[in-house]
Amino acid sequence: MKIRKEKHKTRGLHIIIVGCGKVGSTLVERLIQDNHDITVIDQRPACVQHLTDRYDIIGIVGNGASFSVQSEAGVEEADVLIAVTDSDELNLLCCVVAKRSAHCDVIARVRTPEYSAEADYLKEKLGLAMIINPDQQAAGAIARILYMPTALSVNVFAGGQADMIRLKLPEGNALTGKRIMDLGSERLSDVLICAVERGGQVVIPDGSFVLQAGDVIVFIAQIRNGRNFLKQIGFQTHQVRDTILLGGGRCAYYLSRYLLNAGISVTIVEQDEKRCEELSNLLPQAVVINGDASDAELLGEVGIETAQSVVALTGIDEENILLTMYAREVTNAKLITKVNRISFHQVIENLDLGSLIFPKYITSEAIIAFVRARAAQMHSDIETLVQLFGDRVEAVEFLVGEDTGVTGIPLADLKLKDQMLITCINHGGRIIIPRGRDMIRPGDSVIVVTTHTGIDRIDDILL
């Protein structure tokens, strides 16, 4: 059954999304902003109807792995098929059918650890453009925060050579009350403040912007320089020594592996006895406790009051929020909260729950970066895309090609759109925090931070 409204012509790609759950809905919301022609497939009529009522898209009720259903969706003319159902096997089968019957790029969401461990093999043998694992991606984001716990979030750019760090300025911090241009070369020569949130509003600041206590700032720097900058302005930079993970699902498993390899002690509290046995076998170095994470007495026994970090990872958002709020009352630990639903993210962010991790955002960012690169492949390539402050700011890393309007010109002479900032240049492995006389060269990768969304070419930053 096809559900369709009268569609407007688009200038984007023809994209088929199989699966109308949280990730699929997030992808529709983000990709429709980039003017792509979207068709969704799901076996649940209500889910398809909800999205077709809300957006200018085509909806098909059926099995996304069926050749006839994919044909009805126009797979022969599609540019990209993205399979994000709750079943790894169905996602992989959807991609195989699409590759055999059409010439589109295919992307599969795969969550099972065994499949994720064989991602390179599956990509090669099945012809997948990308395999994305939300739990593994979220675990990596959490691990980066625990390596630098004063940060609210840490994103990696330039092949792991540059960090984009988000933090909140406390009262009395060395940066408060100062204009960015007056902070002094000894502090800002190797970093660049590229976004500030204040009172719910986000701006790309210029040199005259005055920082205040309570501001949430984002800055970019080469990895070692970022840590030095944090030390200079009074933040601790050492990684945590231990952590308590409340919930033992897939994300906890991936996170434990990252942390144990970094020498961080891990305690997992999980209610399901069978899952505890599995984790004990998979993670012999971790301490696995079978119990209810909402039991205050149990949390006291496992040492929550003295722990350096606590991460709420249960499968229930409300429980994660309550656990973090309780932990805030009894410990000074670094707190991280995983939230799956994103409908009320602004309200949740105002609850002061420490660092918030939205796996659906992380998953959609990686896929959107691929789609934009696919759409712009004749001009330049998107290497990385990160959305900050919900989806109000984008940090986009471009690999710059030959024939663009930004190369060989001093940055001070480039006519950039408003709320647009070139924050970093990776020139052959040398990280440059740019100043006015620096220039972009073909072959460089460039990181742009902006409140404009949908940028898919480096030339889009120009007026």
Side-chain angles (χ1 to χ4, degrees):
M1 179 176 68
K2 181 178 287 189
I3 302 173
R4 177 174 187 155
K5 295 190 293 186
E6 185 66 29
K7 287 187 59 58
H8 305 293
K9 288 191 175 183
T10 66
R11 62 171 178 82
L13 304 178
H14 178 196
I15 301 171
I16 298 173
I17 300 174
V18 184
C20 295
K22 297 184 183 72
V23 173
S25 299
T26 302
L27 285 171
V28 171
E29 177 187 352
R30 300 299 173 82
L31 292 171
I32 205 73
Q33 296 174 13
D34 292 353
N35 294 315
H36 296 299
D37 185 0
I38 298 173
T39 300
V40 297
I41 303 173
D42 200 293
Q43 298 188 74
R44 299 166 294 180
C47 294
V48 175
Q49 188 72 57
H50 173 73
L51 287 177
T52 55
D53 286 346
R54 189 172 181 182
Y55 302 105
D56 185 20
I57 63 175
I58 296 172
I60 295 176
V61 179
N63 182 350
S66 162
F67 170 72
S68 61
V69 172
Q70 288 194 11
S71 294
E72 186 180 6
V75 70
E76 290 86 356
E77 295 81 33
D79 298 293
V80 183
L81 180 140
I82 307 167
V84 288
T85 76
D86 291 334
S87 167
D88 290 350
E89 290 78 10
L90 180 57
N91 292 338
L92 292 171
L93 182 56
C94 289
C95 291
V96 170
V97 171
K99 287 300 291 185
R100 293 293 175 90
S101 58
H103 301 287
C104 59
D105 291 317
V106 292
I107 299 171
R109 183 179 76 163
V110 173
R111 301 178 66 192
T112 305
E114 290 80 4
Y115 292 152
S116 294
E118 299 172 346
D120 291 339
Y121 173 83
L122 292 172
K123 284 178 64 178
E124 178 185 354
K125 296 301 182 183
L126 302 182
L128 276 66
M130 177 187 292
I131 287 180
I132 188 88
N133 185 325
D135 300 305
Q136 193 170 28
Q137 295 277 328
I142 295 169
R144 290 192 294 272
I145 295 170
L146 294 180
Y147 300 153
M148 195 182 297
T150 51
L152 292 173
S153 65
V154 181
N155 295 106
V156 178
F157 291 86
Q161 298 183 77
D163 280 338
M164 184 169 286
I165 299 170
R166 186 165 64 100
L167 55 85
K168 188 172 185 177
L169 295 180
E171 291 284 352
N173 184 264
L175 299 185
T176 59
K178 296 183 179 179
R179 295 187 304 173
I180 289 177
M181 67 173 65
D182 296 333
L183 292 178
S185 59
E186 75 281 359
R187 283 202 172 111
L188 282 181
S189 58
D190 297 317
V191 306
L192 182 64
I193 296 175
C194 47
V196 179
E197 181 187 42
R198 177 184 299 165
Q201 300 296 315
V202 181
V203 298
I204 308 300
D206 58 20
S208 64
F209 188 90
V210 179
L211 297 169
Q212 297 179 5
D215 285 350
V216 177
I217 70 169
V218 176
F219 72 88
I220 192 166
Q222 193 170 1
I223 287 179
R224 63 176 181 272
N225 294 335
R227 288 186 178 273
N228 290 337
F229 174 67
L230 287 172
K231 287 179 183 178
Q232 288 178 337
I233 62 174
F235 285 89
Q236 296 293 325
T237 59
H238 57 78
Q239 69 180 28
V240 300
R241 293 191 302 271
D242 59 72
T243 191
I244 297 175
L245 309 185
L246 305 178
R250 292 189 182 101
C251 185
Y253 164 72
Y254 291 119
L255 177 58
S256 296
R257 288 186 55 184
Y258 291 140
L259 300 182
L260 291 168
N261 288 337
I264 297 172
S265 300
V266 175
T267 299
I268 304 172
V269 180
E270 167 58 41
Q271 192 165 14
D272 185 87
E273 185 175 354
K274 183 178 179 182
R275 179 58 175 168
C276 287
E277 293 176 1
E278 293 174 352
L279 289 171
S280 295
N281 292 328
L282 292 168
L283 304 165
Q285 293 176 284
V287 177
V288 181
I289 306 294
N290 180 214
D292 185 354
S294 63
D295 184 338
E297 184 176 349
L298 174 62
L299 294 180
E301 291 174 0
V302 301
I304 191 171
E305 295 179 4
T306 58
Q308 288 207 336
S309 59
V310 178
V311 187
L313 295 173
T314 77
I316 304 172
D317 289 351
E318 293 83 359
E319 185 173 5
N320 287 340
I321 291 169
L322 288 173
L323 288 171
T324 301
M325 294 176 71
Y326 172 74
R328 184 170 295 286
E329 296 296 319
V330 299
T331 179
N332 293 320
K334 172 66 180 181
L335 303 177
I336 301 177
T337 311
K338 180 170 76 76
V339 180
N340 288 312
R341 285 179 294 181
I342 56 179
S343 302
F344 303 103
H345 67 86
Q346 192 62 52
V347 175
I348 294 171
E349 287 177 351
N350 292 335
L351 293 177
D352 194 17
L353 299 172
S355 295
L356 291 169
I357 297 295
F358 295 91
K360 310 309 177 194
Y361 275 147
I362 296 170
T363 303
S364 65
E365 285 167 6
I367 294 174
I368 290 168
F370 174 87
V371 169
R372 288 199 193 160
R374 173 72 168 75
Q377 61 188 1
M378 295 302 292
H379 302 276
S380 61
D381 221 349
I382 294 180
E383 298 278 284
T384 311
L385 182 145
V386 172
Q387 291 173 315
L388 305 165
F389 305 109
D391 58 356
R392 291 174 290 168
V393 174
E394 289 188 346
V396 189
E397 181 177 5
F398 295 96
L399 180 61
V400 180
E402 290 284 345
D403 299 321
T404 70
V406 301
T407 57
I409 302 171
L411 297 187
D413 297 332
L414 288 176
K415 307 257 186 236
L416 301 182
K417 293 176 181 175
D418 67 326
Q419 294 295 292
M420 188 83 62
L421 188 64
I422 297 172
T423 64
C424 181
I425 300 171
N426 179 9
H427 181 67
R430 183 167 67 95
I431 302 301
I432 302 169
I433 302 301
R435 299 295 182 255
R437 303 318 300 170
D438 290 312
M439 290 185 285
I440 300 169
R441 305 290 184 187
D444 288 349
S445 65
V446 176
I447 302 167
V448 176
V449 174
T450 177
T451 56
H452 299 278
T453 59
I455 292 176
D456 55 19
R457 299 182 302 158
I458 188 65
D459 283 344
D460 288 343
I461 72 175
L462 301 174
L463 286 171

